[in-house]
Amino acid sequence: LSREHYYATGRARGLTCSRGQNIRAIINEEIASRIVAAGNDDANSRDGGEAGGGGVLEIGPFLQPAITIPGAKYFDVLDLEGLKARARKVGYPSDPNTHPKQIHYVHPTGDLGSIHNETFGLILSSHTIEHQLDLIGHLVAVSRLLANGGYYVMLVPDKRYCFDHYVAESTIADVIDDHVADRAVAVGRHKLKSVIEHRALTVKNDANAHWREDSGPKYSVDIVDRIRRAMDEYDEGVRD
């Protein structure tokens, strides 16, 4: 976000400005480390303490986890080699120095229920909560993995200032419907509506431009072709 906006608006309201690296430092030095220390004093206790259970889990770290303290564990839909292959395929720049040493838990549809007999004092998801097919089911699964007094920390993008600028907000009806009635969710696959929104209705991912109210047109000139490609991608996923 722009320095000018922060000074004119955020600081005047007493808000702290935290960019990505500052947030990572806060998470590792002030949150995760304290929870690990508390867990060492009372390992996996569910009977009190600052946060019973000192384990730390990050959901969806890809190749650049936010939590980097020793002993942190990671959950993703691909193993480490699979994530590297995915990064190469989509042209995602990655620094080997930031890669996690391993992905401890892997499930192709992101089912946290596949983690057994462990609890964590801290679970973190960075820019992954918005990708959940079943938000209610996800939160229930997280709650089962949290030790007594544990924390779920979410880093969530603000849709007003990224490529989702024009994508409509989900309603509580959408959230509940996805939880109880959607067959696509049951097999771990996005709905056609979600694919079209992501592939055809998104715009540039430039936070500063959005702050300047320069988000561009709501519909691009190639909107029809983008919708067709989205539908083809969905059909290919159905066949797979």
Side-chain angles (χ1 to χ4, degrees):
L1 305 182
S2 72
R3 183 184 300 272
E4 294 77 13
H5 177 83
Y6 168 64
Y7 280 122
T9 305
R11 193 166 75 164
R13 294 168 53 197
L15 301 178
T16 300
C17 180
S18 295
R19 288 186 178 271
Q21 294 306 317
N22 293 337
I23 292 174
R24 282 184 167 82
I26 291 170
I27 290 171
N28 285 282
E29 297 169 14
E30 300 185 23
I31 300 177
S33 296
R34 291 185 183 182
I35 288 175
V36 169
N40 289 337
D41 292 338
D42 190 17
N44 290 319
S45 168
R46 299 186 71 89
D47 300 318
E50 181 179 347
V56 175
L57 175 70
E58 180 171 347
I59 300 170
F62 198 41
L63 296 178
Q64 191 173 12
I67 298 180
T68 56
I69 64 170
K73 294 185 176 181
Y74 305 110
F75 175 93
D76 219 311
V77 295
L78 297 170
D79 62 16
L80 185 56
E81 292 305 314
L83 292 174
K84 291 178 182 178
R86 175 65 178 167
R88 290 191 297 269
K89 181 177 180 180
V90 301
Y92 179 85
S94 69
D95 179 356
N97 293 320
T98 70
H99 294 179
K101 287 185 168 53
Q102 72 176 102
I103 302 298
H104 302 81
Y105 312 102
V106 178
H107 193 278
T109 64
D111 181 8
L112 291 170
S114 60
I115 302 176
H116 302 289
N117 304 318
E118 285 199 69
T119 58
F120 302 90
L122 170 67
I123 299 176
L124 177 136
S125 66
S126 177
H127 289 234
T128 59
I129 190 74
E130 67 273 17
H131 299 292
Q132 298 302 320
L133 300 174
D134 176 3
L135 180 60
I136 294 173
H138 173 76
L139 295 176
V140 169
V142 168
S143 70
R144 290 171 178 162
L145 292 175
L146 282 175
N148 184 50
Y151 298 90
Y152 184 28
V153 175
M154 294 170 281
L155 304 182
V156 185
D158 188 327
K159 71 172 290 293
R160 296 174 298 173
Y161 308 111
C162 68
F163 49 73
D164 285 330
H165 181 80
Y166 289 120
V167 175
E169 294 88 349
S170 298
T171 67
I172 187 61
D174 294 324
V175 172
I176 295 172
D177 180 61
D178 284 343
H179 181 59
V180 302
D182 199 305
R183 290 184 297 171
V185 169
V187 297
R189 179 169 54 80
H190 284 286
K191 296 182 291 185
L192 176 59
K193 172 179 179 287
S194 299
V195 178
I196 291 174
E197 284 179 340
H198 184 67
R199 297 302 189 197
L201 302 183
T202 53
V203 291
K204 57 188 173 185
N205 196 31
D206 184 339
N208 287 325
H210 291 299
W211 276 109
R212 296 192 303 268
E213 298 184 355
D214 176 23
S215 301
K218 184 172 183 179
Y219 299 116
S220 63
V221 294
D222 61 344
I223 182 67
V224 174
D225 289 336
R226 291 177 69 183
I227 291 174
R228 285 178 179 148
R229 289 196 296 271
M231 295 179 70
D232 289 343
E233 181 178 344
Y234 177 84
D235 289 340
E236 183 177 347
V238 170
R239 290 193 296 271
D240 292 343

